[in-house]
Amino acid sequence: MSEQGPKHPKHPKDSTHPAHPKDSLEAATEATRSLQGLSTELTARVPQLLEAMRSVGTGLELHTTLDRICETAAELAHARYAAIGVVDEEGKGLSDFVTYGVPESVATEIGHRPDGHRGLLGALIHDPRAVRLADLTADPRFAGFPPGHPPMRTFLGVPIRVQGEIFGNLYLAEKDGGGEFTDYDLHMVRVLATEAGIAIGNARLYEAARQRERWIDGSVAVTTALLSGGDADDALAVVAEQARHLAASDAGIVLLPAEEGGLEIVAVSAEEPVAALGVIIPAQSPIVGMLLGGEAVFVDDSATDPRMVTRLADRFGPSMLLPLHSGGRVLGALVTPRARGGRPFTETERTLAAQFASQAALALMMAEAQRDRERLAVYEDRDRIARDLHDLVIQRLFATGMMLESAQRRSGVPEVQTGVGRAVDELDVTIQEIRTAIFALQQEPAEAPSGLRTRVQREINMAAVPLGFKPSHRFLGPVDSLVGELTGKNLIAALREALSNAFRHAVASRIDVVVDATATLPDGRDAVRLTVADDGVGIPPGGRRSGLRNLARRAESLGGASWFGPGIGEDGGGTTVVWQAPL
């Protein structure tokens, strides 16, 4: 009967009606009926029974309630061991097994919990009725104990019903003193099981309400992040992180349609680093077709399901793959896998996750529309600035140059002629630079130079405005030809984050940026390394590190790493941030 520590159970159905006071009245009536005509020995134990019922009925947290029921039942019947086997949604096995009296070391040695598919526990699932045995090992339904299991003989089993439906079974074993469980024990535990059913029903309702509240809060956080106008990649990372947290999964993964077909992983949140960014699930995968068709996919074991065709599936078990669809349009997919051997997702979890995915998809569409409006406003401003530069500034500079040339011809002083000539030449250069700027303003973003060097320089130039000075920069190796688009995009995001942190927190007067495409990772792989060092105040103890965590998350998703250390100020003052990823 022993097993590892109790876990959150799954339930056959998620009731939506709270326990009515009538249920407690019925429990009391049943208790009175069960006690009528019994001996004074049992009557003397009524106060203990009432106290046990009161104890079971306190509290609303389901995990705690199950633990309390086990402990109370063991004390009431004077049993050394107690357990509750929670029946799974299909009614064919156990989804959870909560124990009392089994030391943690023994539970660890046993290693696995009963699944209820065979033996006496399995028989009680299919035939839920009270059972009292003097020696459970002599029962024909007994299938043996696993290695390390403590010896047990006397046994008492009583079903627990929640609103008329079987929730599970309460098991007691090893009566104190070596005797057998009596009829009195059976009646007392039956009454306790009735009260336990009411307490479990209330706890399930409370937990369901809290679970829904958490999913709603997660949807609000995602909507806020997506509509905040921040970086789109960071917003997708929020979707992945919230989904992982709410689904209690090992990872949260966001996929968007890839240019060459299929779905590409664009955001990952995981308890352990997963080098998954950029992995593409090919269009030939049947799951891709189902997701892009707006159909959710639920997998019992990702590692063995033939539809899971990527190498990432080998490390995961139960998984939810949900389409991000809204308004008849599928934007991508959201995946929340659990570790191998993890408990399957309940129907309630599947429903809440699907609702969350729909809300996230709606927020993505709203954010996309907002970015389109902002992009249109930027284009209009750029077009206006280009017209003003061409129609006003250049014309005035051209007229000024002609005036200077006229003055140069009329002047008889050689020094004046030479000086005016240089001024005219400078004006010509300025006019050419303005014309170049006009051409750049009139270009679409796709037409702009996309080399990594250019993008790094652009970020540095943009950071120079709020900083009040221009950070220095160096490039090592052919960064444009070696660094791929995915790694380059994340490197730029990391550079932007590091420069933003330096501006907002460092109070720096000097910043050095180095992009090294000749670096290597500890395992020998070729890598690109970004180093941003400043001479500011450094990172105070206990200060916020959300930006640094973002850098680490980006690097780990690509199979790299990120860290920070002393800066370039006097005596090591300031901060040096290092970000690296394989080429």
Side-chain angles (χ1 to χ4, degrees):
M1 263 175 39
S2 63
E3 187 47 59
Q4 294 180 356
K7 303 176 182 177
H8 290 283
K10 302 194 313 181
H11 309 294
K13 292 186 180 178
D14 184 16
S15 172
T16 56
H17 302 287
H20 193 275
K22 180 182 177 182
D23 294 332
S24 297
L25 178 61
E26 291 176 352
T29 302
E30 178 66 22
T32 303
R33 186 180 300 113
S34 299
L35 296 175
Q36 289 176 349
L38 295 178
S39 69
T40 56
E41 178 184 348
L42 182 55
T43 305
R45 294 171 64 182
V46 167
Q48 183 185 6
L49 173 61
L50 294 177
E51 175 60 25
M53 294 173 67
R54 185 202 64 79
S55 174
V56 166
T58 59
L60 288 174
E61 207 278 326
L62 183 58
H63 176 90
T64 305
T65 298
L66 296 176
D67 283 340
R68 187 184 298 114
I69 292 171
C70 284
E71 181 177 359
T72 303
E75 293 175 353
L76 183 65
H78 304 293
R80 184 179 303 175
Y81 306 108
I84 292 178
V86 181
V87 179
D88 60 25
E89 293 180 345
E90 293 77 21
K92 298 179 180 179
L94 297 178
S95 65
D96 197 14
F97 199 74
V98 182
T99 64
Y100 169 79
V102 179
E104 184 65 28
S105 58
V106 175
T108 302
E109 183 180 354
I110 296 174
H112 63 86
R113 66 185 184 185
D115 56 18
H117 291 157
R118 62 190 184 92
L120 180 60
L121 301 189
L124 294 180
I125 292 176
H126 301 290
D127 185 16
R129 58 181 176 177
V131 174
R132 182 163 58 91
L133 301 172
D135 186 356
L136 67 90
T137 62
D139 190 275
R141 296 168 294 182
F142 178 69
F145 292 127
H149 195 286
M152 296 180 184
R153 291 182 59 258
T154 54
F155 178 84
L156 180 62
V158 177
I160 299 177
R161 289 179 170 83
V162 177
Q163 296 186 347
E165 296 182 355
I166 289 296
F167 171 84
N169 288 283
L170 172 62
Y171 315 111
L172 300 172
E174 287 299 283
K175 176 85 170 179
D176 287 348
E180 300 179 15
F181 291 105
T182 65
D183 287 337
Y184 307 144
D185 294 324
L186 178 58
H187 281 285
M188 300 273 274
V189 174
R190 272 177 168 167
V191 174
L192 181 65
T194 302
E195 179 64 24
I198 297 173
I200 290 170
N202 290 334
R204 286 170 59 183
L205 289 171
Y206 177 71
E207 184 173 273
R210 288 184 58 192
Q211 189 179 36
R212 287 186 174 88
E213 182 181 0
R214 288 194 299 268
W215 281 94
I216 291 172
D217 290 343
S219 297
V220 171
V222 166
T223 303
T224 302
L226 290 173
L227 298 182
S228 63
D231 184 82
D233 290 338
D234 289 339
L236 292 174
V238 172
V239 175
E241 184 175 356
Q242 287 290 336
R244 177 180 70 85
H245 172 70
L246 294 170
S249 57
D250 274 32
I253 301 172
V254 176
L255 303 97
L256 297 181
E259 293 182 0
E260 60 270 34
L263 291 171
E264 178 182 359
I265 296 178
V266 296
V268 178
S269 173
E271 294 182 355
E272 298 180 359
V274 179
L277 274 183
V279 172
I280 295 178
I281 302 178
Q284 295 80 7
S285 169
I287 286 183
V288 170
M290 297 170 71
L291 291 173
L292 293 179
E295 182 180 351
V297 181
F298 302 101
V299 176
D300 293 331
D301 187 2
S302 298
T304 59
D305 195 301
R307 297 173 297 176
M308 307 293 283
V309 297
T310 66
R311 55 179 174 79
L312 294 174
D314 295 341
R315 60 183 294 178
F316 295 121
S319 298
M320 291 190 292
L321 298 92
L322 308 167
L324 294 170
H325 65 89
S326 180
R329 178 185 172 194
V330 177
L331 305 178
L334 174 64
V335 182
T336 57
R338 284 177 175 158
R340 297 202 67 179
R343 66 177 179 86
F345 292 96
T346 66
E347 287 297 329
T348 300
E349 288 174 323
R350 294 181 180 187
T351 301
L352 291 173
Q355 294 171 350
F356 173 85
S358 296
Q359 180 65 29
L362 176 60
L364 282 170
M365 291 185 64
M366 295 172 62
E368 183 180 7
Q370 177 175 292
R371 285 193 295 270
D372 287 342
R373 290 193 297 269
E374 294 172 350
R375 192 178 298 115
L376 179 60
V378 170
Y379 290 162
E380 291 175 346
D381 281 345
R382 288 169 56 174
D383 188 56
R384 177 184 55 79
I385 293 170
R387 288 198 308 269
D388 290 345
L389 287 174
H390 181 272
D391 297 340
L392 300 176
V393 178
I394 287 183
Q395 297 302 325
R396 289 181 179 178
L397 289 176
F398 187 72
T400 301
M402 293 181 64
M403 291 171 60
L404 288 174
E405 287 179 340
S406 177
Q408 182 186 34
R409 288 193 297 269
R410 289 196 300 267
S411 174
V413 181
E415 290 82 0
V416 173
Q417 290 181 335
T418 302
V420 171
R422 286 198 298 268
V424 171
D425 292 339
E426 288 296 326
L427 284 176
D428 288 339
V429 173
T430 301
I431 290 172
Q432 292 300 321
E433 290 178 346
I434 293 176
R435 283 175 172 166
T436 301
I438 292 172
F439 177 73
L441 286 170
Q442 292 174 334
Q443 283 184 312
E444 293 291 333
E447 299 177 290
S450 58
L452 183 58
R453 286 175 179 266
T454 303
R455 285 182 285 173
V456 169
Q457 291 169 344
R458 184 184 301 129
E459 292 296 329
I460 290 173
N461 291 335
M462 291 175 61
V465 176
L467 286 169
F469 64 92
K470 184 176 179 180
S472 66
H473 63 279
R474 287 189 300 133
F475 297 97
L476 301 177
V479 296
D480 285 341
S481 60
L482 289 180
V483 181
E485 177 60 28
L486 177 64
T487 302
K489 181 177 71 173
N490 282 275
L491 184 146
I492 292 298
L495 173 61
R496 187 181 304 132
E497 181 77 36
L499 291 174
S500 175
N501 288 340
F503 163 66
R504 289 181 296 173
H505 309 300
V507 195
S509 60
R510 175 189 168 193
I511 299 177
D512 294 342
V513 177
V514 179
V515 180
D516 182 4
T518 65
T520 56
L521 298 178
D523 59 7
R525 288 180 294 168
D526 295 333
V528 59
R529 179 177 297 138
L530 168 68
T531 305
V532 181
D534 65 63
D535 63 350
V537 298
I539 301 176
R544 295 183 61 187
R545 287 171 167 78
S546 57
L548 296 173
R549 286 195 295 269
N550 287 339
L551 295 177
R553 174 181 53 78
R554 286 184 181 277
E556 291 169 355
S557 296
L558 294 167
S562 180
W563 64 91
F564 65 92
I568 54 176
E570 295 182 2
D571 300 324
T575 305
T576 296
V577 176
V578 181
W579 184 97
Q580 63 183 20
L583 294 173

